[in-house]
């Protein structure tokens, strides 16, 4: 089991009777429906009290099948299989041993549509359907798994205030009710478009054309601004079944996974996540050979017994529960598609760095290390606002990050990079990245303050400051990607850390 504890701010917003109704729901359902919640969700199974007051709840821990090995530049890591990983280009996925094809994509969409159609039949609406809250399995027939189920609405009632992930908002603004079957239908359509396009923010229906006319027609209807015009999730099932069958009939083109790290590269040895998956050529969408999990499977409840709301002593809870499985490790939620941190050598090929270039690189590497420390506060701060956890604290975090960026920027503008390969271009891109990042931090600080003043359900959540921050963040990301493409080849030669754009 896993334990989720609410912070003080969230506790004041929790509707406990609704949370207890969610806990009790499986016990009121037919066995097949109770099994659905047990197998496809991290469903709440018991409320937890401390000192006679609500503290959080117990839920099913994520099964190991919804973890995935992820290939980085020099090593493999074991990651929660969040759908956001799949919303990238085929080249990006192949480089990380996540190559998939349309059989996998359409099969996952079919499984998700079936699960959501069943949720709607039971009176449940998902609401904040996003690539952070939805997991995939790498089986031949992929399956979905839903997180943050305490935020689902049951028969129109919510245990928590309804919020939306950035870039996954319904199009009606304040005029459309959140967390309804219609809003779920819109967000499922976004998932379909973005999974087929390999893109984290597109709303272009053209990507669905290769799935067939029936699916493309559903996408056109699903993106309609009028909630009543969107198809139900049940309407997707037949067309997606036919699309899967048609995709299976197409020739399967093998994807060659790029070679792994060389024997001389640091960290190339297998990590604690286990040995890397097979690097042999295999059809896209087929998972690497599975290996037995190294950890003991978590204790689970029978779905028929999960219906009684319990008051559990906190000391016992902490002994039973894997608290670390609650929080998802997410990338920057406002940075757009994940970029490949690897790059190829440019110019006339590798040459031995000079003493002057090594000295300049050492100064720059030290500055970049400070920038990486400042960067770590951003994603948690965004989550504090979007999940209405602590907007006031998030505003302070953004201001602190902005001050750190400006300090780094002042140091960068004062150094010389003329002895580094393409030093002027390297310097210009880093300066641009830091300036846009600082502007984004400032805008996000104003956004968080506005949300704190006016409330999480107000128009401030999607106001001008949020859009400004997103725009500046995208510009910063583009400059960071250009910078790391220039920096990393030289960093490898001179022994400095290779960076992802997320490190800046």
């Amino acid at each position: 089991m896993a334990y989720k504890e609410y912070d003080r701010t969230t506790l004041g917003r929790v509707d406990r009777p609704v949370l207890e109704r969610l806990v009790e729901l499986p016990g009121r359902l037919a066995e097949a429906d109770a099994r659905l919640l047990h197998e496809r969700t991290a469903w709440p199974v018991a409320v937890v009290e401390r000192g006679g007051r609500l503290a959080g709840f117990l839920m099913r821990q994520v099964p190991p099948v919804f973890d995935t090995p992820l290939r980085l530049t020099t090593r493999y890591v074991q990651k929660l299989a969040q759908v956001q990983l799949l919303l990238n280009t085929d080249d990006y996925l192949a480089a990380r041993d996540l190559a998939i094809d349309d059989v996998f994509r359409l099969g996952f969409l079919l499984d998700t549509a079936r699960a959501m159609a069943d949720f709607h039949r039971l009176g449940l609406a998902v609401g904040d359907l996003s690539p952070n809250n939805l997991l995939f399995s790498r089986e031949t027939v992929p399956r979905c798994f839903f997180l943050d189920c305490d935020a689902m609405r049951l028969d129109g009632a919510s245990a928590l205030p309804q919020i939306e992930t950035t870039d996954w908002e319904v199009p009606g603004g304040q005029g459309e009710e959140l967390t309804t079957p219609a809003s779920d239908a819109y967000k499922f359509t976004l998932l379909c478009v973005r999974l087929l396009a390999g893109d984290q923010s597109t709303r272009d229906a053209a990507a669905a054309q290769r799935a067939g006319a029936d699916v493309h027609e559903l996408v056109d209807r699903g993106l309609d601004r009028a909630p009543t015009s969107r198809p139900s999730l049940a309407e997707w099932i037949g067309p997606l079944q036919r699309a899967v069958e048609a995709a299976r009939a197409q020739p399967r083109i093998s994807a060659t996974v790029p070679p792994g790290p060389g024997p001389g590269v640091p960290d190339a040895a297998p990590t604690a996540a286990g040995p890397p998956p097979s690097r042999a050529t295999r059809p896209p969408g087929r998972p690497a050979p599975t290996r037995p999990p190294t950890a003991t499977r978590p204790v689970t409840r029978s779905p028929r017994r999960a219906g009684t709301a319990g008051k559990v002593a906190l000391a016992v809870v902490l002994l039973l529960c894997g608290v670390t499985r609650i929080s998802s490790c997410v990338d920057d939620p406002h940075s757009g598609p994940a970029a490949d941190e690897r790059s190829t050598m440019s110019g006339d090929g590798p040459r031995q760095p000079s003493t002057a270039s090594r000295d300049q690189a050492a100064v720059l590497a030290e500055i970049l290390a400070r920038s990486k420390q400042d960067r770590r506060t951003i994603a948690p701060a965004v989550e504090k606002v979007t999940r209405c956890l602590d907007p006031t604290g998030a505003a302070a975090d953004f201001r602190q990050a902005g001050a750190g960026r400006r300090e780094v920027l002042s140091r960068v503008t004062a150094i010389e990079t003329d002895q580094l390969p393409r030093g002027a271009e390297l310097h210009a891109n880093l300066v641009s990245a830091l300036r846009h990042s600082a502007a984004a931090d400032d805008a996000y600080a104003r956004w968080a303050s506005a949300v704190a003043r006016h409330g999480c359900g107000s128009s401030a959540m999607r106001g001008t400051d949020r859009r400004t921050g997103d725009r500046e963040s995208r510009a910063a990301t583009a400059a960071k990607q250009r910078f790391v493409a220039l920096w990393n080849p030289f960093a490898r030669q001179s022994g400095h850390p290779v960076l992802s754009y997320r490190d800046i």
Side-chain angles (χ1 to χ4, degrees), residues 463-476:
T464 302
D465 289 323
R466 177 63 203 248
R467 293 193 295 272
T468 299
D470 290 346
R471 184 176 64 252
E472 292 291 344
S473 182
R474 287 191 292 268

Side-chain angles (χ1 to χ4, degrees), residues 195-227:
L195 188 58
L196 290 169
D199 187 281
Q200 297 193 17
S201 59
T202 186
R203 296 173 190 254
D204 186 355
Q209 289 177 348
R210 70 176 190 271
D214 290 345
V215 171
H216 188 228
E217 188 266 339
L218 288 172
V219 167
D220 281 336
R221 291 170 54 200
L223 294 177
D224 200 297
R225 294 181 63 87

Side-chain angles (χ1 to χ4, degrees), residues 263-333:
V265 180
D267 297 331
T271 66
S278 169
R279 293 174 184 155
T281 299
R282 59 180 181 270
R286 296 294 178 88
T290 57
R291 55 183 182 273
T294 56
T296 303
R297 283 184 177 271
V299 178
T300 57
R301 286 191 179 190
S302 163
R304 297 296 297 166
R305 296 179 60 193
T308 303
K311 298 179 180 180
V312 185
L314 186 61
V316 176
V317 169
L318 296 178
L319 288 173
L320 290 176
C321 303
V323 178
T324 57
R325 295 304 301 270
I326 305 302
S327 298
S328 298
C329 294
V330 298
D331 296 318
D332 186 352

Side-chain angles (χ1 to χ4, degrees), residues 135-461:
L135 308 182
F136 64 93
S137 70
R138 297 190 70 181
E139 300 167 299
T140 303
V141 179
R143 292 186 295 153
C144 63
F145 192 88
F146 290 80
L147 304 178
D148 288 350
C149 298
D150 55 324
M152 290 188 182
R153 292 182 78 180
L154 175 60
D155 297 329
S158 301
L160 291 169
Q162 293 302 317
I163 59 174
E164 295 187 286
T165 297
T166 303
D167 280 338
W168 292 80
E169 302 98 339
V170 294
Q174 296 299 307
E176 179 172 347
E177 184 181 3
L178 299 182
T179 315
T180 65
S183 70
D184 280 358
Y186 181 82
K187 295 181 184 185
F188 178 83
T189 307
L190 285 185
L191 174 65
C192 178
V193 169
R194 293 171 182 182
L195 188 58
L196 290 169
D199 187 281
Q200 297 193 17
S201 59
T202 186
R203 296 173 190 254
D204 186 355
Q209 289 177 348
R210 70 176 190 271
D214 290 345
V215 171
H216 188 228
E217 188 266 339
L218 288 172
V219 167
D220 281 336
R221 291 170 54 200
L223 294 177
D224 200 297
R225 294 181 63 87
T228 55
S229 298
R230 300 170 197 154
S232 69
L233 267 296
E235 291 179 69
W236 284 85
I237 295 174
L240 284 172
Q241 284 176 323
R242 294 189 291 273
V244 170
E245 293 166 0
R248 285 200 182 108
Q250 297 297 318
R252 305 290 289 273
I253 301 175
S254 296
T256 302
V257 178
V265 180
D267 297 331
T271 66
S278 169
R279 293 174 184 155
T281 299
R282 59 180 181 270
R286 296 294 178 88
T290 57
R291 55 183 182 273
T294 56
T296 303
R297 283 184 177 271
V299 178
T300 57
R301 286 191 179 190
S302 163
R304 297 296 297 166
R305 296 179 60 193
T308 303
K311 298 179 180 180
V312 185
L314 186 61
V316 176
V317 169
L318 296 178
L319 288 173
L320 290 176
C321 303
V323 178
T324 57
R325 295 304 301 270
I326 305 302
S327 298
S328 298
C329 294
V330 298
D331 296 318
D332 186 352
H334 54 269
S335 64
D340 192 343
E341 70 270 20
R342 297 187 299 172
S343 60
T344 57
M345 292 293 293
S346 59
D348 298 327
R351 61 176 182 270
Q352 189 67 21
S354 66
T355 301
S357 64
R358 284 183 179 276
D359 290 344
Q360 290 186 357
V363 173
L364 183 53
E366 188 273 329
I367 295 174
L368 291 171
R370 166 60 196 275
S371 178
K372 184 175 182 178
Q373 292 176 357
D374 292 332
R375 173 69 181 77
R376 290 172 180 167
T377 65
I378 299 301
V382 171
E383 189 168 4
K384 287 179 183 178
V385 185
T386 58
R387 298 207 167 280
C388 207
L389 300 176
D390 183 11
T392 300
D397 293 341
F398 285 127
R399 285 192 291 269
Q400 181 179 356
R405 307 261 205 196
R406 281 185 284 274
E407 179 184 343
V408 171
L409 176 61
S410 67
R411 295 183 62 189
V412 168
T413 55
I415 66 172
E416 295 181 350
T417 57
D418 58 304
Q419 297 300 310
L420 300 177
R422 298 171 69 176
E425 187 178 355
L426 187 85
H427 189 268
N429 279 305
L430 183 56
V431 167
S432 175
L434 292 169
R435 283 176 175 163
H436 283 297
S437 291
D441 295 337
D442 292 344
Y444 287 134
R446 296 191 300 271
W447 165 60
S449 295
V451 171
R453 287 196 306 272
H454 301 293
C456 297
S458 70
S459 60
M461 184 62 80

